[in-house]
Amino acid sequence: MFKSWFAPAPRYRMHLAHQIIDISPNQTVLQSALLHGVNIPHGCKAGGCGMCKCRLISGKVEQIIENTAKLTSTELNSGIIFACCSVAKTDLQLEIITDSVTISTSRDQAPARV
């Protein structure tokens, strides 16, 4: 009976930008990515700006903040989440989205305009 009270919180893994990242309990996707050197574009870190959009390829997240920058129904249907407001509930596979371009490369590579 007491065993479940002292059981460690589950840890999940996130596949993002060609890296496997451990996610600590109650840590947002954005916090985990930044701690491991993966730069997800972000601004407010509270769901207001909408800059930290990612596509959830597989897994489940819980939105911990009511986002004020609302996602469209098209975005929701294609698995778009806000990384700053999402906490992993399973292992995850994500793609970073910036300027309507999906980035799944390492942080040292980024699309450029000439």
Side-chain angles (χ1 to χ4, degrees):
M1 179 168 136
F2 295 108
K3 188 176 186 179
S4 65
W5 290 358
F6 299 106
R11 293 181 68 93
Y12 301 111
R13 290 191 160 193
M14 171 171 61
H15 295 262
L16 177 67
H18 302 293
Q19 293 186 35
I20 298 174
I21 298 169
D22 288 327
I23 303 175
S24 297
N26 300 321
Q27 191 173 57
T28 67
V29 168
L30 179 62
Q31 290 168 335
S32 298
L34 294 175
L35 283 172
H36 288 86
V38 177
N39 186 24
I40 295 176
H42 61 280
C44 69
K45 297 183 184 177
C49 69
M51 290 178 59
C52 64
K53 289 180 186 177
C54 290
R55 178 177 276 92
L56 181 64
I57 304 300
S58 66
K60 293 183 182 181
V61 296
E62 177 184 348
Q63 293 292 123
I64 59 168
I65 299 173
E66 177 79 23
N67 11 19
T68 55
K70 299 293 183 193
L71 295 168
T72 67
S73 58
T74 303
E75 290 172 325
L76 288 169
N77 290 335
S78 62
I80 304 299
I81 63 166
F82 289 129
C84 70
C85 302
S86 299
V87 174
K89 292 299 171 191
T90 65
D91 288 344
L92 305 174
Q93 182 176 358
L94 298 163
E95 290 179 328
I96 300 169
I97 298 176
T98 180
D99 294 347
S100 302
V101 176
T102 301
I103 299 175
S104 58
T105 59
S106 71
R107 66 184 175 123
D108 296 330
Q109 299 173 341
R113 294 189 183 127
V114 179

